[in-house]
Amino acid sequence: MSVSSAKSASTVALVAAFLTIYIVWGSTYLAMRVGVETMPPLSMAAVRFLVAGVIMFAFVKLRGSPRATARQWRDNALIAAFLLLGGNGLVIWAEQYIPSGITALLIGFSPMCMVLIEWAFPGGRRPGPYTIAGLVIGFAGIIVLVAPWEHFNDDGALPLKGVVAIIGSTVFWATGSILSRHVRNPAPAFSASAMQMLCGGAMLAVAAFVRGEPASIDIGSFSTRSWIALFYLIVIGSLVAFSTYTWLITHSTPARVSTYAYVNPIVAVFLGWLILDEPVTLRTLAAAAIIILSVMIIIVRKNKRAA
């Protein structure tokens, strides 16, 4: 679907979709971190998306959705390679080495990547001054919130392989998101979500085999909380949030959709306070105010060339 032909959606539907990716994805970093405590990362991601994909595929078939064409399968396989293999796969692998808070900070590169990649596409929208200001302010808020200077290793540096993997994941995720907006004759949103999860899950399984993960799997060593985390990622993270994202990216602009990368850390901090009694400091409140301001600038500000 081209940018100019994106379907219109009601305000209520858009608000509900944004709230879903804001709230749900803020908790998935924690779930992935808990899961990889005892589960191999790529194998866990493969199971997550294959199971969710089968469920979603059965759902769309029961609803009588038309059979997908070979071109639609090809397009969604390509998108899945960027979103799920390159995007999600690199993140869950990196969370073995990088704290979830630092992961959230690095994911803050995603909105910038998305806006710039969208601009680079033929007919892409050039980011206006308000969009650029919102992106910069939001990233500054992420830095204040996570305070990376407090999380360095004793040798003064974060594990380079984890940092590179997460930054790379933002480029893959942004590219896949933009590609999904430029697909010709796209499949319905839920069908596209099912195909992407099935294809992405299969690619992650191949990657897991290449890394030799299956040979070292000991199911008996998987902790109960890792199983709960996997179940949560399948049902809430994939069936609900990923399907919502697939729909939303074709009904709003990349800059607005990518604001989830600024709001998710706030949600993560709140959940930590609510569930784990983690303290909320003045710095946390200040960062929240900065991030919310950036979201307001990008989403609420409307002009003819909003990006």
Side-chain angles (χ1 to χ4, degrees), residues 230-268:
L230 176 58
F231 179 80
Y232 180 85
L233 288 169
I234 290 172
V235 177
I236 306 299
S238 296
L239 291 176
V240 176
F242 182 72
S243 297
T244 299
Y245 181 85
T246 302
W247 176 87
L248 188 59
I249 196 64
T250 63
H251 290 79
S252 187
T253 64
R256 292 173 183 172
V257 175
S258 65
T259 54
Y260 74 84
Y262 293 152
V263 181
N264 285 172
I266 295 178
V267 174

Side-chain angles (χ1 to χ4, degrees), residues 14-86:
L14 286 171
V15 170
F18 272 107
L19 288 176
T20 298
I21 64 170
Y22 281 177
I23 296 172
V24 172
W25 274 0
S27 62
T28 55
Y29 294 113
L30 176 61
M32 286 190 286
R33 180 74 172 178
V34 171
V36 298
E37 287 177 349
T38 60
M39 293 180 174
L42 297 182
S43 299
M44 176 184 174
V47 171
R48 167 189 175 181
F49 288 111
L50 284 173
V51 173
V54 169
I55 294 173
M56 181 61 72
F57 192 78
F59 172 74
V60 296
K61 285 302 180 183
L62 289 175
R63 291 186 61 187
S65 296
R67 183 176 181 179
T69 65
R71 183 188 182 109
Q72 288 173 336
W73 274 103
R74 184 199 67 188
D75 290 341
N76 282 286
L78 177 61
I79 293 169
F82 283 99
L83 290 181
L84 302 184
L85 177 60

Side-chain angles (χ1 to χ4, degrees), residues 4 15 20 114 152 159 175 189 202 210 220 253 287 292 301:
S4 61
V15 170
T20 298
M114 200 171 290
F152 285 112
T175 303
V210 170
T253 64
I292 291 172
R301 178 71 183 185

Side-chain angles (χ1 to χ4, degrees), residues 123-137:
R125 297 181 178 182
R126 179 179 180 177
Y130 287 99
T131 295
I132 294 174
L135 293 172
V136 172
I137 291 172

Side-chain angles (χ1 to χ4, degrees), residues 30-227:
L30 176 61
M32 286 190 286
R33 180 74 172 178
V34 171
V36 298
E37 287 177 349
T38 60
M39 293 180 174
L42 297 182
S43 299
M44 176 184 174
V47 171
R48 167 189 175 181
F49 288 111
L50 284 173
V51 173
V54 169
I55 294 173
M56 181 61 72
F57 192 78
F59 172 74
V60 296
K61 285 302 180 183
L62 289 175
R63 291 186 61 187
S65 296
R67 183 176 181 179
T69 65
R71 183 188 182 109
Q72 288 173 336
W73 274 103
R74 184 199 67 188
D75 290 341
N76 282 286
L78 177 61
I79 293 169
F82 283 99
L83 290 181
L84 302 184
L85 177 60
N88 186 273
L90 285 174
V91 169
I92 195 169
W93 178 83
E95 285 214 48
Q96 299 174 104
Y97 313 103
I98 304 292
S100 58
I102 297 298
T103 299
L105 166 64
L106 295 173
I107 294 296
F109 283 105
S110 182
M112 298 180 188
C113 291
M114 200 171 290
V115 170
L116 294 176
I117 292 173
E118 167 69 3
W119 184 15
F121 265 76
R125 297 181 178 182
R126 179 179 180 177
Y130 287 99
T131 295
I132 294 174
L135 293 172
V136 172
I137 291 172
F139 188 68
I142 291 289
I143 293 176
V144 173
L145 175 64
V146 180
W149 51 86
E150 296 182 0
H151 298 280
F152 285 112
N153 292 335
D154 293 337
D155 61 0
L158 289 167
L160 181 60
K161 58 185 178 181
V163 172
V164 172
I166 294 173
I167 292 177
S169 77
T170 66
V171 177
F172 279 112
W173 186 270
T175 303
S177 298
I178 301 304
L179 281 175
S180 68
R181 292 173 57 83
H182 292 266
V183 171
R184 295 181 180 179
N185 301 316
F190 286 143
S191 296
S193 178
M195 286 186 281
Q196 289 172 25
M197 288 191 287
L198 286 172
C199 293
M203 294 174 193
L204 285 162
V206 171
F209 273 102
V210 170
R211 292 193 70 244
E213 288 186 359
S216 61
I217 288 178
D218 177 11
I219 296 179
S221 68
F222 296 167
S223 67
T224 300
R225 63 190 235 154
S226 287
W227 280 112

